[in-house]
Amino acid sequence: MKHVTYIHEHLNWTEWQWSDKKLLPLVSRVRILQGHLLGKLLTLGFDLNVEAQLDAVTLEIIKTSEIEGETLNDEQIRSSVARHLGLNNASMPTNTREIDAVVEMMLSATYHYQQPLLLDDLLGWHRALFPDGYSGLYVG
């Protein structure tokens, strides 16, 4: 299996730079492909679009958690995302409070990305993720 190199694994990761000249054509291509995909999803029907949303959000949460060193139950994440999207999740496993908190935070960040990020938002996410007020990490 090929090792993925994450940004924080590079020696100069805090001094990263990008080139608009190199990046913008790539971003433009992705947006065009995204438009094609969304257009195809619309022609296939709304249910498939919601299923695609379910798959995309579930995968995003799983991969983001992996970057943070967390291994979450994929089926519980999918069940929680389905419930938050208003889909029937009766046949799926029951979610934990921790899974629901992660899903709520990610959906909030994903669907409200154009709104300003306020301190109340960050504090709310923190309260949801750490109801005891602590992350479980201790400085010794």
Side-chain angles (χ1 to χ4, degrees), residues 70 126 129-138:
E70 293 283 328
H126 188 273
L129 293 171
F130 310 113
D132 297 332
Y134 301 99
S135 69
L137 298 175
Y138 299 96

Side-chain angles (χ1 to χ4, degrees), residues 89-133:
N89 68 339
S91 64
M92 297 180 181
T94 308
N95 314 319
T96 64
R97 185 209 54 78
E98 293 84 6
I99 297 275
D100 275 339
V102 169
V103 169
E104 287 174 21
M105 180 193 67
M106 290 294 289
L107 287 173
S108 175
T110 301
Y111 288 108
H112 302 121
Y113 68 93
Q114 291 180 325
Q115 295 177 359
L117 181 59
L118 304 174
L119 179 60
D120 285 344
D121 298 325
L122 291 174
L123 294 175
W125 293 346
H126 188 273
R127 280 191 300 277
L129 293 171
F130 310 113
D132 297 332

